[in-house]
Amino acid sequence: MKFAKEQLAVYFIAGSQNVGGDVDKLIQIVEDACKNGITMFQYREKDRSTLSDAEKLQVAIQLKEITAKYNVPYIIDDDIDLMKEINADGIHVGQDDTKIERVIAECQNKIIGLSTHTLDEVRAANNVDALDYIGIGPIFATQSKFKVKPAIGIDELNRLYQESTHPAVAIGGIKEDNAKAVLTTNVDGVSVISDIIDSSDIQQTINSLKGNA
């Protein structure tokens, strides 16, 4: 699947740890989210995950079937082997994950994303032509991930986005009630975990995250 920056508009991230280990719930939420307008999905099995490698593979396969049905780009978080095994659309890594040089060498013709937090990291990413997009954040404080870096806020998001030569998605603590403020920076999209997982009306939530409500 070819990358287009419009695919970053509502970038949903989730794994079993975000639903208390309930894999069936995860699969249902991802299908509902794909059906109702998310533009990219990342399977991220970290932090409190208790899945074995075999279980993770089976979930990854099921999620691929769902994302393919709705033509939603499917990204794997920091697991080159899994990405290759299921032929996912791409991979995303953080600054402390698999080195971006290895990712680029082994993941040709895949969508490649990299998390950034500082001006120096954004400038370093500018020198990596093979990158398709960067994540910038966390914008706000978040409880969805362990070991998160300090929130940078909207003004710093704007500064880093203006510096970036790559499309960028804002990450961290983004919800319906602050998405419009984030989008005033003209960043290419917002990335969310809990706001979709905990939503009682996924369609309404996704519309709000797009700035349409």
Side-chain angles (χ1 to χ4, degrees):
M1 181 180 289
K2 294 185 70 173
F3 174 76
K5 66 180 183 179
E6 291 77 15
Q7 294 164 335
L8 298 174
V10 178
Y11 187 161
F12 180 36
I13 301 173
S16 67
Q17 69 278 355
N18 303 118
V19 290
D22 188 339
V23 168
D24 290 338
K25 181 178 179 181
L26 171 66
I27 290 166
Q28 185 60 58
I29 290 173
V30 172
E31 176 139 28
D32 289 345
C34 288
K35 190 186 303 182
N36 284 289
I38 62 165
T39 54
M40 187 173 280
F41 174 68
Q42 180 189 131
Y43 179 40
R44 181 180 185 273
E45 202 65 50
K46 281 188 176 176
D47 300 334
R48 294 158 287 184
S49 174
T50 58
L51 296 191
S52 66
D53 288 344
E55 290 169 330
K56 182 179 178 182
L57 174 60
Q58 288 306 308
V59 174
I61 291 170
Q62 288 179 273
L63 293 173
K64 185 187 177 186
E65 292 171 355
I66 292 167
T67 54
K69 180 166 68 172
Y70 295 97
N71 200 33
V72 172
Y74 182 31
I75 310 299
I76 298 294
D77 177 77
D78 190 30
D79 192 330
I80 292 175
D81 293 339
L82 179 63
M83 188 214 68
K84 289 179 177 179
E85 188 161 4
I86 67 168
N87 193 28
D89 297 308
I91 188 164
H92 185 98
V93 292
Q95 295 289 325
D96 300 322
D97 292 337
T98 304
K99 295 298 184 185
I100 192 63
E101 293 81 8
R102 181 189 166 199
V103 171
I104 291 167
E106 295 192 34
C107 303
Q108 295 179 21
N109 301 315
K110 297 293 185 180
I111 298 170
I112 298 175
L114 174 69
S115 295
T116 63
H117 177 71
T118 66
L119 187 60
D120 285 347
E121 289 172 359
V122 171
R123 287 174 172 168
N126 288 344
N127 294 321
V128 184
D129 292 338
L131 271 180
D132 290 292
Y133 72 90
I134 62 168
I136 299 176
I139 311 306
F140 308 108
T142 175
Q143 303 298 317
S144 297
K145 294 182 179 181
F146 283 6
K147 300 179 181 177
V148 292
K149 295 177 179 178
I152 64 172
I154 291 175
D155 289 345
E156 185 68 358
L157 165 64
N158 185 58
R159 185 169 81 107
L160 298 188
Y161 177 63
Q162 295 303 321
E163 187 74 19
S164 178
T165 59
H166 297 294
V169 60
I171 298 174
I174 297 170
K175 300 182 181 297
E176 288 182 73
D177 60 3
N178 59 32
K180 280 190 176 181
V182 171
L183 293 173
T184 62
T185 66
N186 293 317
V187 70
D188 297 289
V190 295
S191 180
V192 296
I193 299 177
S194 60
D195 208 42
I196 288 178
I197 286 173
D198 297 335
S199 176
S200 59
D201 186 338
I202 285 182
Q203 184 177 39
Q204 169 64 34
T205 297
I206 292 170
N207 281 334
S208 294
L209 292 168
K210 288 179 177 177
N212 295 333

